[in-house]
Amino acid sequence: MVNITLPDGQIKNFDQDQITGFDIAESISKSLTKLALALKIDGQPKDLNTVITQDSKVEIITPTSPDGLEIIRHDAAHLLAQAIKDLYPDAQITIGPVIENGFYYDVARDEPFTPDDLVKLEKRMKQISEENIPIQREEWDRDEAIKFFESIGELYKAEIIRDIPKGEIISLYRQGQFIDLCRGPHAPSTGKIKYFKLMKLAGAYWRGDSKNPMLQRIYGTAWGSEAELKDYLHMLEEAEKRDHRKLGRELNLFHIQEEAQGMIFWHHKGWTIYRLLENYIRDKIAQNGYIEVKTPVLVDRSLWEKSGHWEKFREDMFTSETKEDVLAIKPMNCPCHVQIFNQGIKSYRDLPLRMAEFGMCHRNEPSGSLHGLMRVRGFVQDDAHIFCTEDQITEETVKFCNLLQEVYHDLGFTNISVKFSDRPETRVGSDETWDRAEKALKDAVNTTGFEYSLNPGEGAFYGPKLEFVLKDAIGRHWQCGTLQVDFVMPERLGATYIGEDGQKHRPVMVHRAILGSLERFVGILIEEYSGKLPLWLAPVQIAVLNITNDADVYATQISEKLISLGLRVELDLDNEKINYKIRKHSLAKVPVMVIVGKKEVEENQLSVRLSLDKPQENMSFDEFVEMIKTHKLINLKTIN
């Protein structure tokens, strides 16, 4: 007899000495049997036909779960590999992992793939799905597996197996005549994988090393239902329309060029947005007890060696050498902030000390990973470090979370999730120190009331962290804010304070950012609002347009009055038809248009248009200013 405990605590008894996932699913419901992809046995993912001979905790994996979605995408990669071998037998398949929202497969082939090839491959994948071919696991001897793949010309697969330590199980999965190296698990048949689409082509070096051959990478997406696939493809269409690089060109915000890869050339309008965002955060942190500092961009390597950054991040740091010294352009601000803390004697009465900097940082990101404002080599962080006692960690975390929520809400983001990232494999500090840091941060985040998910092994090399993730208007997630508890760096860099007992103690260093990179957050805002930013962030808030030259003087007077109130105004007296001018400023994403002609001059009125979809409203100048204040379209102290 085998007793199976289900996730809800229900125990099912089976008279047989051995059962499979199929038996368990069928005992629950016929509908579950149809949906089942795989199962977890005591937390370990396994194929559905895995034999169970002893009492176990079992969970059936279906397409609606994250585990099920990963299996679907992994299976879709195998469908793609089989389609490649069916249509292009000369191609060698290498690796095909699951990635966010889909999968890819790297292929070695002399002739380049084309978009037309993707159409053919996708069609063949659908045929393989419709054939509903059983997917079967096989365990092979390591040397036999190497010989097999060499015999069929799959030299990359043979190389992968050679790198697997002797004694490890070599598992292959077969679907029809196609066989691939894989740990699994997989769905029971190809018919379970129905909703997928091939997306694009790219290049990739074998094993990510530029010394190795260049391969062709085919990207795809796969989902558990047709509705999810359609939603995702619709989201991609929306994302393309909102692409900040495209809008940046159209709205004259910024540009990037070959001579300064990963660096931003801010134009006047884009820099206006940047400054508004920076000044908004500057005001917020000042109101919350932060002091602002400025530290050098170029610092001797000795400091980075002491902090641990040189060992961990040397390859990502830009350096400059003199005859005597090796200097590094700072990739982050934290070691420099400790230098300011170390000036003079600090008392427990000085803590917490909240030290902020809009610090310019540089990181040598690979050129292939650069992406507009989202991934750059030169950026500014809204960075701060809180020097505090261990007893103050919870209170400071709560205060930070409240500030972060307030900022995100002001910027239009209300859907926030949190990830807790614990110790990575490569780290500094003892296990005892990490135990203390992780416990302190967990206790703190539990106090804030934030629900969080675990992100194992993704902490910073010096401490655990919280990651704050925003959900945007089209359902994408952006990791922006962070909070990290660090017991290590103050010790490495000799930071101390005098406690109540008159003795020296180490402060705890809490690293935190709300926006993260200002460059990246501007990009997120552009895409969130499709370029039409809220009035307080818009580079041009109001366009004043004349209908005829008879209204030039009146339009100029209105413009000057609005500018005197601190508003950003563009006066358009061009000799063009008014419909053309309205259309022009609408495409420029100007939130408000004030239109004046002969009638408005005579009646001392304004015609105000807030969008192309809404009719114009007639009002006096004072009513217009009051409308702005009442509807909170703008928040300026100069309007009172």
Side-chain angles (χ1 to χ4, degrees):
M1 176 179 286
V2 178
N3 298 317
I4 298 299
T5 304
L6 301 177
D8 63 359
Q10 181 185 357
I11 297 176
K12 284 195 167 288
N13 311 112
F14 294 87
D15 293 333
Q16 308 98 299
D17 292 334
Q18 54 185 35
I19 58 172
T20 68
F22 289 108
D23 299 318
I24 299 169
E26 192 172 14
S27 74
I28 298 172
S29 71
K30 289 184 179 180
S31 60
L32 182 59
T33 307
K34 292 179 181 179
L35 288 172
L37 296 174
L39 74 162
K40 281 185 176 179
I41 304 174
D42 295 327
Q44 297 300 311
K46 299 288 183 181
D47 294 321
L48 205 57
N49 61 3
T50 300
V51 175
I52 305 171
T53 59
Q54 61 186 22
D55 295 352
S56 306
K57 293 181 179 179
V58 172
E59 176 186 350
I60 302 297
I61 298 175
T62 67
T64 58
S65 69
D67 290 318
L69 198 52
E70 182 161 343
I71 289 171
I72 286 170
R73 289 168 178 165
H74 201 164
D75 286 1
H78 280 233
L79 257 65
L80 171 58
Q82 182 177 351
I84 290 167
K85 295 301 293 183
D86 287 350
L87 298 180
Y88 310 99
D90 62 312
Q92 291 188 65
I93 55 174
T94 65
I95 58 169
V98 172
I99 57 174
E100 185 179 11
N101 296 322
F103 60 93
Y104 69 77
Y105 222 112
D106 285 346
V107 186
R109 182 172 180 249
D110 292 336
E111 188 177 344
F113 287 110
T114 68
D116 288 340
D117 291 324
L118 294 193
V119 174
K120 294 174 186 175
L121 286 167
E122 188 176 309
K123 181 179 179 181
R124 178 61 188 136
M125 289 172 68
K126 289 178 180 176
Q127 291 170 346
I128 296 169
S129 172
E130 290 167 0
E131 290 167 11
N132 199 26
I133 304 167
I135 302 175
Q136 300 167 319
R137 177 186 170 93
E138 300 176 3
E139 293 185 1
W140 286 44
D141 172 78
R142 180 176 176 275
D143 292 338
E144 288 299 316
I146 292 172
K147 288 179 183 177
F148 169 74
F149 281 108
E150 286 179 337
S151 72
I152 62 172
E154 293 290 349
L155 304 183
Y156 290 91
K157 292 289 181 185
E159 182 181 330
I160 294 170
I161 298 172
R162 282 195 196 92
D163 292 340
I164 297 174
K166 288 186 177 182
E168 283 197 21
I169 294 173
I170 305 299
S171 61
L172 308 182
Y173 278 82
R174 184 188 296 275
Q175 48 196 56
Q177 298 301 309
F178 175 73
I179 190 166
D180 201 357
L181 173 69
C182 189
R183 286 194 180 95
H186 283 280
S189 70
T190 60
K192 297 286 187 180
I193 317 306
K194 299 177 181 178
Y195 311 108
F196 52 81
K197 184 172 180 58
L198 298 184
M199 305 299 295
K200 63 179 180 178
L201 294 162
Y205 290 109
W206 169 235
R207 293 188 159 173
D209 189 337
S210 59
K211 297 176 184 176
N212 289 336
M214 174 67 78
L215 306 175
Q216 298 183 68
R217 179 169 292 178
I218 300 176
Y219 284 97
T221 188
W223 297 85
S225 69
E226 185 176 12
E228 287 175 315
L229 176 60
K230 285 183 176 179
D231 287 346
Y232 177 69
L233 296 177
H234 176 70
M235 184 272 287
L236 290 182
E237 289 177 8
E238 280 296 310
E240 187 175 354
K241 294 176 188 175
R242 296 165 180 257
D243 190 320
H244 72 282
R245 295 167 299 177
K246 169 177 167 286
L247 290 170
R249 289 189 302 271
E250 293 175 355
L251 303 178
N252 194 23
L253 303 179
F254 66 91
H255 83 273
I256 303 168
Q257 62 190 59
E258 286 296 318
E259 292 82 357
Q261 288 190 33
M263 308 291 184
I264 309 302
F265 289 82
W266 288 103
H267 301 188
H268 171 66
K269 290 182 178 179
W271 189 240
T272 299
I273 298 169
Y274 189 104
R275 287 188 299 104
L276 288 164
L277 186 63
E278 181 180 348
N279 289 335
Y280 163 78
I281 289 292
R282 177 172 280 117
D283 288 344
K284 282 290 184 185
I285 62 175
Q287 293 164 16
N288 282 266
Y290 288 79
I291 60 170
E292 188 176 337
V293 299
K294 193 70 175 175
T295 60
V297 172
L298 204 60
V299 181
D300 191 89
R301 67 176 282 180
S302 59
L303 180 62
W304 305 111
E305 289 173 336
K306 289 177 186 176
S307 70
H309 290 94
W310 189 264
E311 179 185 354
K312 307 300 177 186
F313 296 114
R314 166 66 186 89
E315 296 303 315
D316 298 327
M317 297 168 73
F318 291 104
T319 59
S320 176
E321 297 187 20
T322 68
K323 289 182 180 180
E324 299 84 14
D325 303 303
V326 176
L327 304 171
I329 302 175
K330 68 176 178 181
M332 58 272 297
N333 302 304
C334 34
C336 294
H337 287 189
V338 179
Q339 306 316 300
I340 294 179
F341 181 87
N342 286 348
Q343 299 302 301
I345 298 173
K346 298 294 186 298
S347 161
Y348 70 93
R349 294 188 180 90
D350 298 316
L351 305 183
L353 175 59
R354 307 181 189 100
M355 189 182 299
E357 178 177 8
F358 294 93
M360 188 69 191
C361 298
H362 292 81
R363 296 177 189 173
N364 190 13
E365 301 284 359
S367 58
S369 69
L370 300 175
H371 181 75
L373 299 176
M374 304 304 194
R375 192 75 175 266
V376 293
R377 287 176 172 164
F379 57 93
V380 171
Q381 295 176 304
D382 66 322
D383 204 8
H385 298 91
I386 303 169
F387 297 88
C388 64
T389 67
E390 198 166 339
D391 291 341
Q392 292 170 329
I393 292 174
T394 295
E395 183 181 0
E396 289 304 306
T397 299
V398 171
K399 286 181 178 179
F400 171 72
C401 288
N402 291 337
L403 172 60
L404 175 137
Q405 283 183 294
E406 184 180 333
V407 168
Y408 287 168
H409 185 270
D410 285 352
L411 294 170
F413 299 97
T414 56
N415 192 321
I416 307 165
S417 58
V418 184
K419 295 180 182 178
F420 182 95
S421 300
D422 61 14
R423 67 194 73 183
E425 286 188 19
T426 304
R427 58 184 181 271
V428 293
S430 67
D431 287 343
E432 180 185 0
T433 298
W434 275 87
D435 289 341
R436 287 166 54 211
E438 288 174 356
K439 182 181 186 303
L441 188 55
K442 276 188 178 177
D443 289 346
V445 73
N446 286 332
T447 303
T448 67
F450 264 123
E451 292 185 6
Y452 62 89
S453 60
L454 295 176
N455 197 20
E458 294 300 320
F461 76 94
Y462 49 75
K465 67 179 176 179
L466 301 179
E467 297 180 349
F468 298 87
V469 182
L470 305 179
K471 185 176 181 181
D472 72 8
I474 59 175
R476 295 173 301 178
H477 292 86
W478 302 96
Q479 190 270 306
C480 295
T482 59
L483 182 142
Q484 302 153 16
V485 173
D486 183 358
F487 286 81
V488 175
M489 198 171 298
E491 181 176 357
R492 292 181 72 114
L493 298 181
T496 62
Y497 69 92
I498 305 300
E500 290 185 75
D501 58 3
Q503 302 298 311
K504 287 185 177 182
H505 298 271
R506 299 284 183 204
V508 178
M509 191 173 181
V510 178
H511 308 241
R512 87 339 147 258
I514 300 174
L515 305 182
S517 155
L518 267 69
E519 284 75 5
R520 180 170 176 265
F521 207 91
V522 170
I524 292 170
L525 285 171
I526 291 169
E527 296 199 2
E528 169 72 5
Y529 291 103
S530 294
K532 190 170 184 178
L533 294 165
L535 191 63
W536 72 276
L537 267 175
V540 176
Q541 297 170 308
I542 302 170
V544 179
L545 320 178
N546 69 333
I547 299 175
T548 65
N549 293 129
D550 294 340
D552 284 3
V553 173
Y554 184 59
T556 302
Q557 292 170 345
I558 294 298
S559 176
E560 290 172 350
K561 284 184 180 180
L562 293 172
I563 290 171
S564 70
L565 292 173
L567 292 158
R568 296 180 294 281
V569 181
E570 188 170 287
L571 176 63
D572 187 347
L573 302 179
D574 290 350
N575 190 22
E576 301 282 355
K577 291 184 178 179
I578 189 61
N579 287 340
Y580 171 84
K581 291 203 278 191
I582 291 172
R583 178 69 176 166
K584 178 177 72 174
H585 291 283
S586 178
L587 290 173
K589 312 292 186 180
V590 178
V592 180
M593 282 175 263
V594 172
I595 302 162
V596 294
K598 187 176 180 181
K599 180 182 177 183
E600 283 76 20
V601 173
E602 292 173 352
E603 298 178 358
N604 198 26
Q605 292 277 300
L606 311 176
S607 284
V608 178
R609 181 184 285 273
L610 298 179
S611 77
L612 288 178
D613 301 327
K614 295 179 180 179
Q616 295 175 189
E617 296 183 52
N618 292 325
M619 61 189 73
S620 68
F621 179 84
D622 291 340
E623 288 172 333
F624 174 56
V625 172
E626 188 61 33
M627 181 192 74
I628 292 174
K629 290 193 296 183
T630 302
H631 291 80
K632 297 182 180 178
L633 293 176
I634 191 166
N635 180 20
L636 286 178
K637 295 175 183 176
T638 51
I639 297 183
N640 48 45

